[in-house]
Amino acid sequence: MTATAPPRPHTPQPRPSAPPPVWTSSVLAPVAAGLATLFASTSLTGVVSGWAWFGYLLVAVVLIASTGLALRSLRAPTIVVGLAQLLVLLLLITGAFTTSGILKIFPGPDAFGELRGVLAAAAEQIRVGLPPIEGTPPILCLITIAIGLVAVLVDTLAVAAAAPAATGLVLLCVYAVPAALAEDMLPWWTFLLGAAAFAALLAVDGNHRHRRWRNRDAPGLGNSASTLSAPVGVVAAAIAMGLVIGTAVTGVGTVGSLPGGTGSGRGGAGGFGVEPFTQLRGLLDQGENVELFKVYGMGADKRLLRAFTLDTYTPNKGWGLAQNGRAQQGVQANKGLPPAPGDDGSGPAREIRIEPTNWVDNWLPIYGVPRSLNGLADNWLYDPVGGAVFTTTKQNAPAYTETASIQNPSKDELRLDDARLAEVPQQFTQVDRVDPRVVAKAKQLTENETNNFDKAQALWSFFTAQNGFVYDTKTADATDSDALADFILNGKRGFCEQYASAMAVMLRSVGIPARVAIGFTSGTPKGDYLSITSEDAHAWVEVYFQTKGWVSFDPTPLLDGRAVVPPYLQNDTSSSTTNDTQEVPSAPASSAPATGTPREPGADLGADGGTGQQEEEPLWPAILAGILGGLAAALTVVMIVRSRLRYRALMRPSSSPESPASEHLFLDNQNVANWLPLIVIGLWVAALAFLAAWVSWWFALALVIVLGGLGTPTTIREIKRRLRLQKIASRSPAAADAAWRELMDECADRGLPLSDGDTVRVAGRKVVEKHRLDEEGRTGLRTVIGVVERSWYSDQPADDQTLGPAFDEVRKSLKRNAPMSWKGRLFPRSLRRGK
């Protein structure tokens, strides 16, 4: 007889910590990448006013991240994922910023042409704009494209390449552009958000790598509590050092100081200025109405307030200053001013007090012919030739008092006062390369007139509604290679820049000295002062007469009550010329401002029947999207907290005294909260759909179709699961059958389809072997198999009280040891079984 060895004492081995759920490792990285992009984009608040742009960026980032997540779950190649994300971005841009897309969202040749025009308008607005510029549609389009491309790049680096640290340079570029453009320091909180988001991105990657190396110490990571906070500290220190060093080295974009510091900046950001040029084609961008000046001493007089004049015409571009203003000279404006053409100093004068409120520029507007200017520093100069007060740098303008001659000559005086061209500076008479058709038209209109005033009035009278001209914030579509001839002969639609530019060219083409003036209309009376606002910005023509100097002619056919028609251009019944006068009908003020070349850009006031009025987008989709999004966010937090509690219960064995029965997942299935994930997903989809509807209903429909196509299989599978779990929880007679069907579907979704021809025990062995169930899962599975066999093959009722907890243990073991992939979640194989 051989002796048997004594049995070895069984030492229970500690159960290895379960890997994180698949959704955690798959979702956290793209979510962190998207948040990092969004938080970095908040730096745009320094150069773009308002928050409309953030809604577009939110939609773009969500779509890009979702596209990447869905395609990576299908194991699509990285290049395919990137191209698909770019395609989704293109569809968004087409639907949001063009009207020529196929089914509104698919780009075609017309849509690409329209996009080129939108981007050209954005470039022009940036060129002439003074930060912070208004979020016009062209600017929104440019921002969405730029940040969308950043989102694709950050998502690729952080998720596909698993190199989130490399995104730091990309995100730094997002900060660098606004910092270089903004006159003031960017808001402190945008740096805080960006640092936190980048640190979270690094932490997510570090935590992921730490778990991958969980059987040994991960390189560079310890087991201390500082593991997670290390990236935060490093990034925070880097941001602080960068700001301090950047402040010490350069003042670009920071006005040379940190927030709260002092510096010699160029004045407050957001101020208004005007640019020394006009354009012959384009779109007028006008933001919210901002008061620029308070004028005291004008009473009820309606006068034009001139900022500067333009003397040089460039074909197909417009009017500007000779040598871009580099040759401009002047005398100190706070000293005695030299006599100017049209005023010998002997006539009456008026004292006018002008108080700038939001004016930041190197031009200082004046009325008429100034005789003296008080309240200005020595750096302000007066140019008697151009009739402008200027300085060499943009700055906040001080309050000043002008003593000016603002007399209006009579028609008879002007008819006898033709200029002697030999005595007029050449820059006011020279005009080159004018289209012969324009010259012929000007000569035709003036051929019956014998003096310069009547010729100028004939040209002025030509730009009327009776001759087909319409005031609009957008010029007509180009039909001619020469922009000026196209406006005068074909389009006849535009705003003050086109009208003033055209009349000045026509005047010079018939030998009359002329220039384009840029400034403001008369403003609005408020108490004892006139309020001049950004909507009053305007352009008009000044004609030179020998003794009266520069005389104003405004050819723009305004119908909003802002037109200034001096006495010498008002109705004269003695005139025999049918084209002698311009009717200025009294009409309700149009929403189209009489604006010339504002440097305070704003919302696109697209043309609408010639009134310049744009139909406002309804706000209710955005409001409803905000409500649904807020509710979805709140429920998402609840779902995450609940998920963490469930996960902790999942990690404890059922025999643990610390896990009360109330924490069993099975018991939770009776609760309404069991349907919480479906409710949250539905709310997010609805919020995104309404947000997209605010942009385009076609885009919203496409978004719902795409998300619905991706989410429908998951939703159907989840509903089937919940209904079966409810049967198990309620101890229905069909509970055992529901439990077995659900187990077969769970295995099918994990890549183990069970055949209906297998016996219950054979199927059970396959489940244990394939999915490596732990001891709790095996025990629960044995109980489930026993209940199912008794239910199917025995006349005695099954012990339904043990089915629920046992099935709960099987599901927990499956989640611990065989986590489901995203492909299995998005496209459940169990749906093919049809049961």
Side-chain angles (χ1 to χ4, degrees), residues 9-261:
H10 175 68
T11 304
Q13 297 295 325
R15 185 172 59 191
S17 60
V22 173
W23 69 267
T24 301
S25 59
S26 300
V27 175
L28 283 183
V31 168
L35 289 177
T37 302
L38 284 176
F39 287 173
S41 71
T42 58
S43 60
L44 294 174
T45 55
V47 292
V48 183
S49 61
W51 281 94
W53 54 270
F54 193 78
Y56 288 88
L57 298 191
L58 178 60
V59 174
V61 170
V62 168
L63 288 177
I64 289 169
S66 301
T67 302
L69 187 62
L71 292 179
R72 290 187 186 106
S73 70
L74 300 176
R75 289 178 170 78
T78 299
I79 185 65
V80 174
V81 175
L83 291 176
Q85 290 174 324
L86 293 176
L87 177 61
V88 168
L89 178 62
L90 179 60
L91 296 180
L92 171 62
I93 296 298
T94 304
F97 300 105
T98 72
T99 59
S100 307
I102 303 169
L103 296 180
K104 293 292 185 181
I105 63 170
F106 297 101
D110 292 340
F112 280 118
E114 193 172 351
L115 273 179
R116 284 195 296 270
V118 171
L119 294 178
E124 182 67 15
Q125 185 174 340
I126 292 173
R127 187 175 71 85
V128 304
L130 182 68
I133 59 178
E134 191 70 19
T136 62
I139 293 297
L140 293 178
C141 179
L142 182 62
I143 290 175
T144 305
I145 292 175
I147 302 300
L149 294 176
V150 169
V152 173
L153 184 55
V154 170
D155 184 79
T156 302
L157 290 173
V159 183
T167 66
L169 184 60
V170 180
L171 298 176
L172 184 61
C173 292
V174 176
Y175 281 94
V177 174
L181 296 176
E183 293 185 354
D184 288 337
M185 180 72 181
L186 296 179
W188 62 268
W189 51 265
T190 185
F191 292 100
L192 182 62
L193 287 177
F198 185 54
L201 186 59
L202 295 179
V204 167
D205 180 70
N207 189 49
H208 171 65
R209 294 177 187 274
H210 176 71
R211 290 187 179 275
R212 287 174 55 190
W213 290 71
R214 60 184 178 275
N215 293 329
R216 60 185 187 274
D217 290 339
L221 292 175
N223 297 323
S224 65
S226 63
T227 298
L228 187 62
S229 61
V232 180
V234 171
V235 174
I239 292 292
M241 292 178 61
L243 291 177
V244 172
I245 296 174
T247 301
V249 173
T250 177
V252 175
T254 63
V255 198
S257 64
L258 289 169

Side-chain angles (χ1 to χ4, degrees), residues 596-621:
T597 54
R599 285 201 58 191
E600 171 79 3
D604 175 14
L605 302 178
D608 182 12
T611 65
Q613 197 169 12
Q614 181 186 23
E615 182 181 355
E616 294 185 358
E617 295 288 341
L619 291 177
W620 66 265

Side-chain angles (χ1 to χ4, degrees), residues 39 55 246 322 335 373 499 514 547 627 638 651 661 668 725 823-824:
F39 287 173
K335 306 296 184 181
L373 291 164
Y499 285 98
T547 62
I627 295 173
V638 173
M651 292 299 103
D668 283 345
L725 294 178
K823 183 177 180 180

Side-chain angles (χ1 to χ4, degrees), residues 269 320 333 481 534 544 722 756:
S481 59
S534 55
Y544 186 76
R722 301 303 174 186
D756 290 336

Side-chain angles (χ1 to χ4, degrees), residues 257-623:
S257 64
L258 289 169
T262 60
S264 57
R266 294 187 302 158
F272 186 98
V274 287
E275 188 72 10
F277 73 92
T278 65
Q279 57 183 2
L280 295 176
R281 283 176 176 153
L283 178 70
L284 171 62
D285 292 324
Q286 178 68 21
E288 65 173 305
N289 194 19
V290 178
E291 184 178 68
L292 304 177
F293 304 96
K294 294 180 179 180
V295 178
Y296 298 86
M298 288 299 294
D301 282 359
K302 297 187 69 173
R303 303 278 180 158
L304 295 169
L305 178 62
R306 182 178 64 253
F308 54 85
T309 59
L310 306 176
D311 52 31
T312 302
Y313 170 72
T314 302
N316 276 329
K317 290 186 177 180
W319 286 78
L321 288 170
Q323 301 182 32
N324 292 323
R326 290 189 296 270
Q328 190 174 16
Q329 297 180 352
V331 298
Q332 276 189 239
N334 58 1
K335 306 296 184 181
L337 300 182
D343 180 41
D344 58 5
S346 61
R350 180 176 297 183
E351 189 173 281
I352 306 165
R353 175 74 174 174
I354 303 176
E355 296 181 0
T357 53
N358 288 287
W359 180 257
V360 181
D361 208 345
N362 54 345
W363 308 100
L364 207 57
I366 54 176
Y367 286 97
V369 180
R371 293 181 178 175
S372 67
L373 291 164
N374 299 316
L376 300 180
D378 292 343
N379 62 329
W380 287 98
L381 305 176
Y382 172 65
D383 174 16
V385 177
V389 179
F390 68 97
T391 187
T392 55
T393 59
K394 291 181 172 64
Q395 56 188 268
N396 286 306
Y400 55 102
T401 301
E402 177 192 7
T403 302
S405 170
I406 56 173
Q407 295 184 79
N408 279 316
S410 66
K411 287 188 176 187
D412 292 337
E413 290 175 326
L414 294 174
R415 284 179 174 133
L416 300 174
D417 198 25
D418 286 357
R420 293 187 286 272
L421 295 182
E423 301 178 10
V424 180
Q426 187 179 11
Q427 68 262 35
F428 298 120
T429 59
Q430 183 177 1
V431 61
D432 298 321
R433 295 178 292 161
V434 179
D435 190 288
R437 293 169 294 173
V438 174
V439 177
K441 186 64 177 179
K443 291 180 177 180
Q444 175 196 346
L445 293 171
T446 59
E447 61 183 353
N448 295 325
E449 311 301 340
T450 59
N451 58 78
N452 284 357
F453 172 76
D454 286 336
K455 291 180 180 179
Q457 188 176 28
L459 293 174
W460 174 78
S461 302
F462 169 65
F463 297 99
T464 62
Q466 290 83 353
N467 290 324
F469 286 92
V470 177
Y471 179 87
D472 201 343
T473 56
K474 184 179 184 301
T475 57
D477 293 337
T479 60
D480 197 294
S481 59
D482 187 89
L484 181 63
D486 197 20
F487 171 75
I488 294 174
L489 304 175
N490 303 320
K492 298 186 176 183
R493 180 179 293 270
F495 45 98
C496 56
E497 289 186 29
Q498 287 80 50
Y499 285 98
S501 298
M503 181 177 174
V505 171
M506 296 176 80
L507 283 166
R508 288 194 183 182
S509 67
V510 293
I512 301 176
R515 65 189 185 187
V516 174
I518 305 295
F520 301 90
T521 57
S522 58
T524 304
K526 288 189 177 181
D528 60 343
Y529 69 91
L530 291 173
S531 175
I532 308 292
T533 71
S534 55
E535 285 189 352
D536 294 315
H538 195 47
W540 63 95
V541 176
E542 291 185 347
V543 180
Y544 186 76
F545 293 87
Q546 190 63 37
T547 62
K548 300 303 179 183
W550 292 101
V551 178
S552 298
F553 289 75
D554 184 3
T556 305
L558 297 174
L559 299 177
D560 60 357
R562 297 174 187 249
V564 177
V565 184
Y568 52 83
L569 289 176
Q570 292 178 6
N571 291 343
D572 183 359
T573 55
S574 64
S575 174
S576 60
T577 306
T578 58
N579 214 13
D580 188 48
T581 61
Q582 179 188 34
E583 280 292 328
V584 184
S586 176
S590 167
S591 64
T595 310
T597 54
R599 285 201 58 191
E600 171 79 3
D604 175 14
L605 302 178
D608 182 12
T611 65
Q613 197 169 12
Q614 181 186 23
E615 182 181 355
E616 294 185 358
E617 295 288 341
L619 291 177
W620 66 265
I623 296 173

